């Protein structure tokens, strides 16, 4: 009967997960710099096909190469819907939403882990899901490390024979390594194993510390509380189950190993959160199942329900605050509203329309110039700008980083999207006017005199400048 009840709840829980993902996507439709490569690569695959010379990564390769395997799959799944949008001449912005929706679908496809009702994940599931589908050599060396730690308990208890593990892991690893080298070498135009270079750069060379360092225990006192919320309090209760005790050791070991690297980010250890949530769920189940035994368990049951409410409030608050973290994306949308094309333009930005020349003008030498020549600085590019937001094919969008603020070359641009630094703005007071100011969050402060009891601290993060007409 318990199994039937669990099966009947799963569609409801899956629907809840899909709804939550959709709300997050609608509230925060843009991306930050961490997602930049995958998003730009998916765009180029969808809109440039095999014309690799037009791909963003050749002009902006980043510090280390990244794999194209993920973007290839996302583009393949997204292409039918994106093609329909292009036929209807609907803005590419909605293609970005489709691409990110596909990412959410891929994440939710592992729902049997999330809906495991607090039970330990069987070794067969680990083998088939993590070894075959997520294959660390292609998708991330950190997944290889996490998978290895997850497999240690069944290996040590001999529930999973070593020979059987090798029968799965060796062919899957070899296939995925060969696949990533072949595919990525084609797109990067040189022989490369991207995840191998990332591993070498971050661990052996330890150059990731150039982007900041954190204390040794930062993951435990900062990342885990922020990532798990109140559920972290129930993780210790989960270890009352022998299977949960075996399940919790791999993620804790993974986080401990990553703590040795000076540069730390929550996304580096986010793979452990579903497993830790399973352990927390087991702790909640233990309390609820013993509800009738004593008043202590009754109080504990109220805390279980209360922590779900608290997590929902915490998530909603974090989502609302995060909405203000993408000034670059908001600025791009605002630009296209404030500066409509003079002669229509091609809003759909299909590849075939890129050379249509709609909405262009000419200088005295007869050279065709676009209505808008926009320069996007680093601060804007890192906070939401993507090629999906370059929706007017008659305009030119430039992210080059070798032109300094105030340089003569900047006067060639009709519009500038730049960081709102006073020292930079003063350089353009005689040549440009402020078309728009875009605010972003600088933090949250407690305010017990209002509901909700906090204030979001906002300040101008980016400005959109328009060049003044040149004297005749």
């Amino acid at each position: 009967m318990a199994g039937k009840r669990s099966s009947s709840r799963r569609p409801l829980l899956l629907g809840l997960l899909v709804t939550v993902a959709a709300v997050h996507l609608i509230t925060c439709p843009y991306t930050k710099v961490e997602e930049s490569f995958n998003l730009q690569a998916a765009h180029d695959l969808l809109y440039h096909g095999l014309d690799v010379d037009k791909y963003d990564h050749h002009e902006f390769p980043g510090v280390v190469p990244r794999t194209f395997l993920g973007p290839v799959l996302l583009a393949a799944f997204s292409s039918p819907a994106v093609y329909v949008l292009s036929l209807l001449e609907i803005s590419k912005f909605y293609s970005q939403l489709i691409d990110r929706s596909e990412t959410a679908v891929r994440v939710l496809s592992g729902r049997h882990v999330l809906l495991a009702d607090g039970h330990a994940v069987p070794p067969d599931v680990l083998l088939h899901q993590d070894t075959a589908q997520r294959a660390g050599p292609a998708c991330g060396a950190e997944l290889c490390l996490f998978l290895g730690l997850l497999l240690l308990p069944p290996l040590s208890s001999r529930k999973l024979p070593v020979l059987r593990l090798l029968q799965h892991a060796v062919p899957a690893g070899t296939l995925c390594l060969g696949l990533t080298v072949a595919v990525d070498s084609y797109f990067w135009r040189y022989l490369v194993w991207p995840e191998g270079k990332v591993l070498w750069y971050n661990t052996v060379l330890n150059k990731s510390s150039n982007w900041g360092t954190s204390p040794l225990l930062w993951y435990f006192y900062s990342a885990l509380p922020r990532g798990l919320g109140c559920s972290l309090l129930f993780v210790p209760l989960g270890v009352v189950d022998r299977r949960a005790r075996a399940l919790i050791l791999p993620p804790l070991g993974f986080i401990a190993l990553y703590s040795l690297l000076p540069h730390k980010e929550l996304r580096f250890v986010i793979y452990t959160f579903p497993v830790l949530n399973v352990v927390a769920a087991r702790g909640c189940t233990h309390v609820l199942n013993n509800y009738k035994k004593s008043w202590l368990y009754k109080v504990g049951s109220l805390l279980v329900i209360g922590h779900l409410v608290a997590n929902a409030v915490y998530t909603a608050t974090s989502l609302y605050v995060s909405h203000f973290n993408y000034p670059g994306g908001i600025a791009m949308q605002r630009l296209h509203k404030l500066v409509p094309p003079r002669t229509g333009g091609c809003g759909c930005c299909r590849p075939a329309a890129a050379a249509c020349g709609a909405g262009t003008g000419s200088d005295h030498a007869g050279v065709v110039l676009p209505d808008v020549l926009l320069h996007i600085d680093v601060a804007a590019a890192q906070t939401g700008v993507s090629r999906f937001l370059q929706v007017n094919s008659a305009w030119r969008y430039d992210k080059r980083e070798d032109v300094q603020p105030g340089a003569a070359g900047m006067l060639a641009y009709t519009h500038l999207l730049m960081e709102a630094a006073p020292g930079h703005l003063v350089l353009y007071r005689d040549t440009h006017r402020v078309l728009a100011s875009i605010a972003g969050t600088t933090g949250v402060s407690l305010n017990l005199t209002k509901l909700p009891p906090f204030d979001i601290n906002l300040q101008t993060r980016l400005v959109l400048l328009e060049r003044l007409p040149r004297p005749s």
Side-chain angles (χ1 to χ4, degrees), residues 102-301:
E102 281 296 333
T103 302
V105 169
R106 298 308 114 196
V107 172
L108 294 179
S109 65
R111 64 189 181 276
H112 59 274
V113 174
L114 296 175
L115 303 181
D117 292 332
H119 294 292
V121 184
D124 283 349
V125 173
L126 292 174
L127 276 175
H128 289 89
Q129 180 173 323
D130 289 292
T131 305
Q133 295 179 8
R134 299 183 181 178
C139 301
E142 65 274 16
L143 285 178
C144 275
L145 175 61
F146 190 32
L147 174 60
L149 292 172
L150 283 170
L151 292 175
L152 280 179
L155 283 172
S156 61
S157 64
R158 298 187 179 181
K159 291 181 179 179
L160 177 63
V162 175
L163 183 59
R164 189 179 178 195
L165 170 64
L166 294 177
Q167 288 174 342
H168 285 271
V170 172
T174 303
L175 174 63
C176 291
L177 180 59
L179 185 63
T180 182
V181 170
V183 171
D184 292 316
S185 296
Y186 171 80
F187 284 106
W188 285 98
R189 297 290 176 84
Y190 66 92
L191 186 64
V192 63
W193 173 29
E195 290 305 322
K197 296 199 71 170
V198 171
L199 180 65
W200 182 266
Y201 182 91
N202 287 335
T203 58
V204 179
L205 301 180
N206 194 26
K207 287 192 174 181
S208 61
S209 58
N210 294 339
W211 278 262
T213 61
S214 299
L216 179 66
L217 300 179
W218 181 84
Y219 285 126
F220 292 96
Y221 70 75
S222 179
L224 288 182
R226 287 186 291 120
L228 295 177
C230 295
S231 296
L232 182 62
L233 301 175
F234 291 89
V235 171
L237 286 178
V239 299
V240 298
D241 189 305
R242 175 179 52 83
R243 297 165 299 178
R245 285 198 297 272
L247 194 60
I248 196 175
L249 293 178
L252 292 181
F254 179 82
I255 295 171
L257 289 173
Y258 254 78
S259 296
L260 299 178
L261 293 177
H263 180 63
K264 298 176 176 64
E265 296 184 37
L266 184 145
R267 63 189 176 100
F268 293 164
V269 299
I270 200 170
Y271 314 104
T272 66
F273 291 179
V275 181
L276 293 172
N277 274 318
V278 167
V279 178
R282 184 64 190 93
C284 293
T285 301
H286 173 74
V287 174
L288 294 174
N289 287 343
N290 292 281
Y291 169 77
K292 297 181 179 180
K293 287 187 175 181
S294 71
W295 67 269
L296 193 59
Y297 278 113
K298 288 182 172 61
V299 173
S301 298

Side-chain angles (χ1 to χ4, degrees), residues 338-366:
L338 293 174
V339 187
R342 286 199 292 264
T343 56
C346 302
C348 63
C349 253
R350 285 176 287 180
C356 69
T360 59
S362 301
D363 64 6
H364 295 293

Side-chain angles (χ1 to χ4, degrees), residues 295-371:
W295 67 269
L296 193 59
Y297 278 113
K298 288 182 172 61
V299 173
S301 298
L302 292 177
L303 292 177
V304 168
I305 297 172
H307 111 274
L308 294 176
V309 175
N311 274 354
V313 172
Y314 169 64
T315 300
T317 301
S318 299
L319 177 62
Y320 178 66
V321 174
S322 297
H323 171 73
F324 299 97
N325 270 335
Y326 305 89
I330 295 172
M332 289 290 285
Q333 296 282 59
R334 193 171 299 179
L335 169 68
H336 291 88
K337 292 180 180 179
L338 293 174
V339 187
R342 286 199 292 264
T343 56
C346 302
C348 63
C349 253
R350 285 176 287 180
C356 69
T360 59
S362 301
D363 64 6
H364 295 293
V367 178
V368 177
L369 298 175
D371 281 353

Side-chain angles (χ1 to χ4, degrees), residues 56-80:
D56 183 84
H57 72 285
H58 286 305
E59 188 175 1
F60 304 99
V63 179
V64 288
R66 298 291 182 175
T67 181
F68 270 85
L69 290 186
V72 165
L73 290 175
L74 288 176
F77 287 118
S78 304
S79 58

